[in-house]
Amino acid sequence: MTDEFAGLRGRVALVTGAGTGIGEGVARKLHSAGMRLALADIDGDGVARIAEELGDDTRAFALDVTDSAAVNAGVAEIEDSLGPIDGLAHVVGIQRFGTIVEMAEDDFDAVFSANVRGAFLVTKAVAARMMPRERGSIVAVASTAARTPRVRQGAYCGSKAAVAQMMRVLALELAPHNIRVNCVSPGVTDTGMVKRLIDTMDTPEVVIEGSLEAFRVGVPLGRLARSEEIADVIAFLLSDRSTYLTMQDIVVDGGGALGA
Ligand SMILES: NC(=O)c1ccc[n+]([C@@H]2O[C@H](COP(=O)([O-])OP(=O)(O)OC[C@H]3O[C@@H](n4cnc5c(N)ncnc54)[C@H](O)[C@@H]3O)[C@@H](O)[C@H]2O)c1
């Protein structure tokens, strides 16, 4: 057994959005590192299936991260059943497409509710319990969309910029309590979310090759990311390999944001 993710074995992590995609990849990675896991998702069946497959020390929680009562009750239940949460990987996020002029208010509200309110409620509930214990690591998934404008993704880009900045503030507020807070910003990653994005495009290859018309740079590494490549960085940030690392937003995008 290597010490690749030092300090994770036996510790407790909460992974939100663990029912599929990047969250599922994070769950599998942390499980292989020996963590005891609470997997939360609005898709209760999805997390139940994964928890059953991963077996002992992994519990599934059907949870809508926009519901504050459910989040608070869920976090309390997780700590009652698994013990104090040492690491949080907040992965939940949704997309709605449309130019800002055309986007329906309901779609805008849905994106900000799931992405920004969700991050606020989950990190608040977990951080409040970490503070008296004076330990913990929090990672939220933002996106390269936080720094690179994308046509028809105004609500999503705005919500991810809000998450990234809110996490910097949280990092500042929690540093005196020995709690680290960071973001991971994936580029295009091979999940249901990217499949739905590609479905909206006449020419799907622009995701990798770029599009002058959409001012979209391609991916220099020439392929989509795999969920486990995002999960590796999240596991590193939760581990004792990164004990002096806080307030950062680590971009994992195959060069798609040109280092910006
Ligand atoms: N896939 C990409 O290319 C990409 C790129 C950059 C950032 N991201 C971000 O990574 C994260 C994961 O994306 P993904 O591609 O795995 O998405 P996905 O759509 O495949 O999975 C998202 C998961 O979140 C869950 N979820 C949605 N709303 C929820 C809610 N209110 N409460 C609880 N669970 C909820 C869904 O049920 C699903 O299991 C998101 O924050 C996304 O914005 C993805």
Side-chain angles (χ1 to χ4, degrees):
M1 173 66 61
T2 66
D3 204 14
E4 188 185 4
F5 297 119
L8 293 187
R9 181 158 297 278
R11 287 192 189 155
V12 174
L14 164 58
V15 184
T16 70
T20 184
I22 292 172
E24 178 181 349
V26 172
R28 292 182 185 281
K29 180 71 62 181
L30 298 182
H31 175 76
S32 70
M35 292 197 89
R36 304 166 60 228
L37 298 177
L39 307 183
D41 201 290
I42 201 167
D43 174 11
D45 292 342
V47 272
R49 246 190 332 269
I50 295 162
E52 192 176 76
E53 185 198 323
L54 296 182
D56 288 350
D57 286 340
T58 303
R59 309 266 163 83
F61 295 84
L63 182 67
D64 178 353
V65 299
T66 68
D67 178 340
S68 64
V71 168
N72 291 331
V75 168
E77 197 184 333
I78 289 163
E79 293 215 336
D80 284 348
S81 60
L82 283 170
I85 296 170
D86 302 291
L88 166 64
H90 177 66
V91 185
V92 168
I94 67 165
Q95 274 258 34
R96 293 276 200 281
F97 300 104
T99 65
I100 289 171
V101 169
E102 288 165 355
M103 178 164 273
E105 288 177 33
D106 284 352
D107 283 336
F108 175 86
D109 289 344
V111 169
F112 268 73
S113 181
N115 296 2
V116 185
R117 178 180 164 84
F120 169 71
L121 292 177
V122 172
T123 58
K124 174 182 169 72
V126 171
R129 287 169 174 269
M130 286 177 168
M131 281 169 70
R133 301 194 288 257
E134 302 262 309
R135 68 170 205 272
S137 175
I138 291 173
V139 180
V141 173
S143 171
T144 49
R147 55 184 81 205
T148 307
R150 299 254 165 78
V151 291
R152 306 184 63 248
Q153 297 187 41
Y156 183 74
C157 290
S159 73
K160 290 297 186 173
V163 169
Q165 187 66 334
M166 190 163 63
M167 290 306 109
R168 287 185 198 101
V169 174
L170 187 64
L172 193 56
E173 292 170 350
L174 294 185
H177 301 280
N178 190 38
I179 298 164
R180 299 181 296 109
V181 182
N182 293 286
C183 278
V184 168
S185 281
V188 279
T189 307
D190 194 4
T191 68
M193 181 179 280
V194 152
K195 289 188 180 77
R196 292 188 291 277
L197 166 70
I198 287 173
D199 283 347
T200 69
M201 295 172 160
D202 296 334
T203 44
E205 56 278 6
V206 303
V207 168
I208 304 293
E209 292 173 5
S211 156
L212 195 55
E213 196 187 335
F215 305 98
R216 187 181 184 103
V217 177
V219 181
L221 284 185
R223 61 173 177 83
L224 302 178
R226 297 184 299 274
S227 290
E228 54 267 34
E229 293 175 302
I230 312 302
D232 269 329
V233 180
I234 293 175
F236 164 71
L237 288 170
L238 293 180
S239 80
D240 290 347
R241 289 276 181 221
S242 58
T243 46
Y244 202 56
L245 217 167
T246 194
M247 221 179 289
Q248 298 302 309
D249 177 8
I250 299 187
V251 175
V252 188
D253 71 342
L258 293 185

